[in-house]
Amino acid sequence: MRKPSFVELSAFAAVARHRSFRQAADTLGTSRSALSHTLIGLEQTLGVRLLNRTTRSVSPTEAGDELLRRIIPVLRDLDEALDAVTGEAGAIAGTLRINCGTASAELLLRTAVPIFTERCPGVTLDLITDGRLIDIVEGGFDAGVRLRETVPQDMIAVSFGGDVRFLAVAAPDYLKRRGNPLVPDDLRGHRCIRHRMPSGKLYRWEFERQGEEIVIDVPGSLTLDDNRLMVGAAVDGLGIAFVAESFALAELRAGRLVALLEDWCPAYPGLCLYYPGRRHVPAALRAFIDVLKDGG
């Protein structure tokens, strides 16, 4: 039996990870029809179906999942070997895939990304915004971004962006009508703007003071899944929101919002870029880490 080529296996891995012929074709710089023919040829060579195809989606079969699991380390090792060679030659190239949330991506776009793209024009930086806590290795990412407290223990983490602080905020008019909460438990008698996380779960507000921790499943008739929307709703007097201070800072300075329970809202370690520590770090990722460490 003819052995599959590197091109065929790379094409399959791209389609299986993106679950889209269009996105995989864009990543590989080829056409969807050429990619489809390549995958059909691979399946014929192996004598097994690797992908389930419909008019709307594509997903690996059980055999496809098994093949993907086994070839990802091999493809990564080859990419790292090529990165090491090109890095030594002073010309870093390739694609750097980073999984992060929208807010994290916005911070990187304001700080590290302009410096990185200037230093490494040969690298394609692919920021995939997804608030879910996923396995970056299984997802085919080079790195991810999370709050430090949620980074898996087997990963290497590089902090950036400084500490973060979450604040309860409300509009002055709302507080005139309903009064100020003096302790976290007072929130149970207020209209709170609840936060639905990417996983679908409702976020329970967390407070801490002098070692005492309080977690409250706040009441409220309005639930949102975006920090900016929550800030806007609070400005409009719809209730108390609990958001990262950076999202509310402009409104706080303008007096359109008031910070509440500040002594119960300490700062804590913020965002980290994290990546597997078991393997050689690709040259593009090393360069991005250098930018973060330089304060970019």
Side-chain angles (χ1 to χ4, degrees):
M1 181 184 74
R2 178 182 69 84
K3 291 186 177 181
S5 68
F6 170 74
V7 171
E8 290 174 321
L9 294 175
S10 297
F12 163 70
V15 174
R17 289 186 299 195
H18 287 287
R19 295 177 181 259
S20 164
F21 275 93
R22 179 183 61 78
Q23 293 182 25
D26 290 343
T27 299
L28 296 172
T30 187
S31 67
R32 280 178 285 181
S33 60
L35 190 57
S36 179
H37 285 302
T38 299
L39 267 296
I40 291 173
L42 176 61
E43 289 177 325
Q44 290 175 343
T45 297
L46 297 177
V48 63
R49 189 176 64 176
L50 300 174
L51 298 168
N52 292 316
R53 303 170 177 84
T54 69
T55 56
R56 295 186 178 181
S57 66
V58 57
S59 62
T61 62
E62 184 176 350
D65 274 330
E66 177 64 15
L67 178 61
L68 182 66
R69 184 182 67 82
R70 289 178 177 271
I71 67 174
I72 279 181
V74 177
L75 295 175
R76 188 181 293 275
D77 283 344
L78 181 56
D79 285 341
E80 290 170 357
L82 294 174
D83 283 342
V85 172
T86 56
E88 291 171 1
I92 301 174
T95 298
L96 178 60
R97 301 183 73 239
I98 300 177
N99 178 274
C100 55
T102 301
S104 305
E106 290 176 347
L107 176 60
L108 291 174
L109 288 170
R110 292 195 307 268
T111 55
V113 171
I115 300 172
F116 177 76
T117 53
E118 181 69 22
R119 289 185 186 179
C120 304
V123 176
T124 298
L125 181 59
D126 193 0
L127 295 180
I128 294 87
T129 55
D130 187 345
R132 296 174 302 155
L133 302 181
I134 68 167
D135 184 331
I136 59 170
V137 175
E138 183 179 341
F141 294 97
D142 298 293
V145 175
R146 289 187 188 178
L147 291 172
R148 173 172 282 278
E149 64 182 16
T150 64
V151 173
Q153 293 184 353
D154 61 343
M155 295 284 172
I156 295 176
V158 179
S159 298
F160 69 94
D163 292 344
V164 298
R165 186 188 189 200
F166 280 79
L167 286 176
V169 296
D173 287 345
Y174 171 86
L175 297 175
K176 286 180 182 178
R177 299 193 311 268
R178 304 294 297 268
N180 285 36
L182 301 179
V183 295
D185 198 57
D186 291 345
L187 293 169
R188 302 184 192 278
H190 279 266
R191 293 168 55 191
C192 296
I193 300 166
R194 306 176 83 188
H195 179 191
R196 187 173 300 282
M197 301 170 66
S199 65
K201 294 183 179 179
L202 290 174
Y203 175 67
R204 298 193 300 167
W205 296 10
E206 301 175 4
F207 299 92
E208 181 182 348
R209 187 178 67 176
Q210 299 177 351
E212 180 183 2
E213 298 181 1
I214 297 177
V215 179
I216 300 179
D217 187 5
V218 296
S221 58
L222 176 62
T223 302
L224 299 171
D225 63 358
D226 180 86
N227 279 277
R228 289 187 179 81
L229 292 177
M230 289 187 281
V231 168
V235 169
D236 290 338
L238 298 180
I240 300 174
F242 193 62
V243 296
E245 185 175 13
S246 58
F247 285 97
L249 196 57
E251 304 295 348
L252 289 167
R253 288 173 175 170
R256 289 185 287 269
L257 287 178
V258 176
L260 309 169
L261 304 170
E262 289 192 78
D263 57 338
W264 285 92
C265 300
Y268 55 90
L271 295 171
C272 291
L273 178 87
Y274 67 99
Y275 58 96
R278 300 186 300 275
R279 298 178 180 276
H280 168 76
V281 180
L285 180 56
R286 288 201 308 271
F288 195 83
I289 291 170
D290 288 342
V291 172
L292 292 180
K293 289 182 175 180
D294 290 343

